[in-house]
Amino acid sequence: MTGGNEADRALGRQGRIVALVIAGTMILWFVAQSAGAWLGLAGRYAFLVDLFALAGFLWALIVTWRIWRKRRNMR
């Protein structure tokens, strides 16, 4: 097996993890927002959930950017 194939597989794994984090963050955010409204929680809890969601999306954006840079440098 060549090093290029292994690097491609590693980047593919990272891409799948990013996709799972994006999907999971969106689902958890939606559920938390709905549960907060249903339970009548204060707005500060909704803001806290929003910050956690933004952190997840920011992490995914940074990792996606790093994957893009690595693939670009491999060519």
Side-chain angles (χ1 to χ4, degrees), residues 3-4 19 22 26 33-34 47 62 71:
I22 291 171
M26 195 67 207
Q33 292 294 323
S34 298
F47 184 66
I62 291 169
R71 284 199 193 260

Side-chain angles (χ1 to χ4, degrees), residues 1 4 6 10-11 14 16-17 20 23-26 31 33 36 40 48 50 52-54 56-58 67 73:
M1 196 177 279
E6 188 62 33
L11 292 175
Q14 286 180 344
R16 285 188 294 277
I17 290 171
L20 289 173
T25 300
M26 195 67 207
V31 168
Q33 292 294 323
L48 185 62
D50 290 345
F52 282 128
L54 283 173
F57 290 132
L58 181 63
I67 291 170
N73 290 337

Side-chain angles (χ1 to χ4, degrees), residues 11-69:
L11 292 175
R13 276 192 302 272
Q14 286 180 344
R16 285 188 294 277
I17 290 171
V18 167
L20 289 173
V21 167
I22 291 171
T25 300
M26 195 67 207
I27 290 169
L28 289 175
W29 175 80
F30 181 73
V31 168
Q33 292 294 323
S34 298
W38 184 69
L39 295 172
L41 295 176
R44 64 182 179 192
Y45 296 112
F47 184 66
L48 185 62
V49 169
D50 290 345
L51 287 177
F52 282 128
L54 283 173
F57 290 132
L58 181 63
W59 178 86
L61 180 67
I62 291 169
V63 173
T64 301
W65 180 74
R66 290 177 63 196
I67 291 170
W68 174 74
R69 293 284 306 222

